[in-house]
Amino acid sequence: MMPYYVAPEQMMQDKAEYAKKGIAKGRSSIAMEYADGVLLIADNPNTSLYKISEVYDRIAFCGAGKYSEFESLRKAGIRHADLKGYMYSREDVSGRSLARAYSENLGGVFSQDIKPLEVELLVVEVGRVPTPNEMYRITFDGSIVADRGVAAIGGRADAIVRFFEEKERNTQASLAEAIALCREAFASANAQDVAVEALEVAVLERERSGRTFRRISNGALTGMDV
Amino acid sequence: MVRDVQPSVPTGTTILALKYQDGIVMGGDRRATEGSQIASERIEKVYAADAHSVIAIAGTVGPCLELVKLFQTELEHYEKLEGEELSCEGKANKLAQMVREQFPLVFQGLVVVPIFSGYDIRRRQGRIFQYDITGGRYEETDFYAVGSGGKDARNTMKEHYQRGLSETDAINLVLAALFNAAEEDSGTGGPDPVRGIYPTMKLVREEGIVDVGEGQLAPMCQALIDVKKDRGYAL
């Protein structure tokens, strides 16, 4: 039982501040449309603990904030997608539906539980020609934003978005150009260089059939001149 | 009741797997029967389970197809959750559990007997596993065939198999085995150039699964038929 009365506004504000503080401590990730699909890139020096993940044929996930929390959300998302694809058909699994499910979940936790989830999520779906790509950003309180061109989450997300605002939007960049640009954005937001080995990179490739998700290893990155 | 249901259930027929120099060839005929009736002449019995393994099915078609779909989903689900593929051994064991779960249905006449072939990345070799209705899992060293024409196919392979076959020789042997099975067993369909029906075949290799298309199989089947004709052997 709660011993004191706390105004709901105050409670929500406290929770939001708590969540923001948790997320601000972490590193950032970017999703960016490029010529052949969508690039996902995380400032992640840990090579075995991934932040980016395949979810379904044309859908990928990226989490920022508290690892344990976005990891369980990642798994729930994969379960959601696989179950839907198995029950109905692979075509019926959509990024939009997954983003809505995440929004509902995060929103519910934020308003009902004592501790909000300290995470930000990206759900990205690469379109089939001529359908455009979809990029959804879901924040700790369940707010959902559909971004175009570039989306950023994590501690330095604002600085990254500012970096891209100053650049001309180019969704037709090559993969190497897009990676180099994102690396520059991380460097500008962190105010220090980011080594290629500290990048986690994956793409959803539009022209592939079936599972379009592909990780790009550090070895392949060094060969790409980014 | 069981007797009433059984003849009206489509059943799958001859499937086989054979090791060759780069991995495994897996093939199956295209016929499904309902008792003495032919239910389908174009059914597929060989499926890619994931990027490095193939499952072929014999038994009652409905539960077999369901098993394949669930197995594919399970492998993909595991791979996405864990960030890496299940080991070849792990996949074979998972399939054994799934076959065992089907066991109670055997008493209603619904049998599911798959063959599983996978490329074991760690051991750098192809591996073949056969199953019994209770979920028993047995690894085969060179080749295996199952289904109502399985014995005839096995006998053909036993006669002509040797280790380290080339891809072409391996495919030819699989075709010959399926051909002989179709001749002896009413439940197995042979190649049918008139209607353009050929066995389905997949190669399990280190780089992944390769589909051997109709374009490649049609002339090979024709050559096989021609050889028999040249020998003056009635088809």
Side-chain angles (χ1 to χ4, degrees), chain B residues 14-20 24-29 46 128 142-145 149 152-154 156-157 160-161 165-182 188-189 191 199-203 212 217 220-221 224:
Chain B
T14 303
I15 50 167
L16 51 86
L18 175 141
K19 286 191 190 172
Y20 76 109
I24 292 163
V25 189
M26 205 145 174
D29 77 303
V46 184
I128 299 170
D142 299 298
F143 57 81
Y144 194 69
D152 301 300
R154 277 203 303 276
T156 307
M157 291 191 285
H160 299 287
Y161 179 79
L165 282 174
S166 73
E167 186 180 307
T168 312
D169 289 346
I171 293 175
N172 266 323
L173 181 50
V174 167
L175 284 176
L178 284 169
F179 203 109
N180 289 344
T188 301
T200 41
M201 218 176 278
K202 288 188 178 7
L203 306 177
V212 185
L217 289 180
M220 291 174 99
C221 283
L224 199 70

Side-chain angles (χ1 to χ4, degrees), chain A residues 55 74 82 86 90 211, chain B residues 66 69 76-77 80-81:
Chain A
V55 175
R74 179 186 77 88
D82 278 342
Y86 174 75
R90 295 193 83 92
R211 292 163 71 183
Chain B
E66 180 57 27
K69 193 179 164 194
E76 188 186 323
H77 189 66
K80 289 189 289 197
L81 285 190

Side-chain angles (χ1 to χ4, degrees), chain A residues 33-87:
Chain A
E33 295 181 60
Y34 76 105
D36 303 324
V38 186
L39 163 72
L40 288 131
I41 184 162
D43 173 9
N44 181 10
N46 202 320
T47 48
S48 56
L49 296 173
Y50 293 136
K51 295 187 166 191
I52 300 167
S53 165
E54 172 186 15
V55 175
Y56 214 64
D57 289 353
R58 308 186 76 83
I59 304 170
F61 166 100
C62 183
K66 204 167 184 182
Y67 182 82
S68 63
E69 292 180 350
F70 70 69
E71 174 65 5
S72 64
L73 288 165
R74 179 186 77 88
K75 286 184 172 156
I78 292 171
R79 210 169 298 128
H80 168 101
D82 278 342
L83 206 61
K84 211 168 163 191
Y86 174 75
M87 275 205 298

Side-chain angles (χ1 to χ4, degrees), chain B residues 30-217:
Chain B
R30 306 290 296 275
R31 178 174 292 176
T33 52
E34 284 176 23
S36 61
Q37 302 268 15
I38 290 172
S40 169
E41 280 285 34
R42 292 177 192 274
I43 195 175
E44 294 231 2
K45 301 173 187 176
V46 184
Y47 295 88
D50 67 358
H52 291 101
S53 63
V54 169
I55 177 173
I57 47 165
T60 317
V61 175
C64 280
L65 293 181
E66 180 57 27
L67 179 87
V68 170
K69 193 179 164 194
L70 190 58
F71 187 52
Q72 289 168 329
T73 306
E74 291 271 11
L75 295 189
E76 188 186 323
H77 189 66
Y78 179 94
E79 187 189 329
K80 289 189 289 197
L81 285 190
E82 299 298 326
E84 60 187 347
E85 247 181 50
L86 206 52
S87 68
C88 187
E89 188 87 19
K91 292 175 202 173
N93 288 338
K94 175 70 199 170
L95 186 58
Q97 288 164 20
M98 292 173 70
V99 173
R100 187 158 59 238
E101 279 166 20
Q102 296 278 333
F103 185 56
L105 293 175
V106 169
F107 300 105
Q108 294 167 50
L110 308 175
V111 180
V112 174
V113 189
I115 300 181
F116 174 74
S117 297
Y119 194 89
D120 193 319
I121 302 281
R122 288 164 219 192
R123 298 193 195 180
R124 296 181 64 90
Q125 62 170 10
R127 297 173 71 185
I128 299 170
F129 297 89
Q130 59 131 324
Y131 296 84
D132 67 23
I133 49 169
T134 64
R137 188 211 86 165
Y138 313 95
E139 184 163 5
E140 293 294 327
T141 51
D142 299 298
F143 57 81
Y144 194 69
V146 78
S148 54
K151 200 172 172 194
D152 301 300
R154 277 203 303 276
N155 283 337
T156 307
M157 291 191 285
K158 202 183 289 173
E159 210 56 40
H160 299 287
Y161 179 79
Q162 58 190 59
R163 294 218 165 134
L165 282 174
S166 73
E167 186 180 307
T168 312
D169 289 346
I171 293 175
N172 266 323
L173 181 50
V174 167
L175 284 176
L178 284 169
F179 203 109
N180 289 344
E183 278 179 349
E184 300 298 325
D185 171 40
S186 64
T188 301
D192 185 344
V194 177
R195 285 183 289 169
I197 301 169
Y198 299 98
T200 41
M201 218 176 278
K202 288 188 178 7
L203 306 177
V204 183
R205 301 202 301 213
E206 189 171 11
E207 318 85 79
I209 307 302
V210 181
D211 204 48
V212 185
E214 219 173 87
Q216 195 178 341
L217 289 180

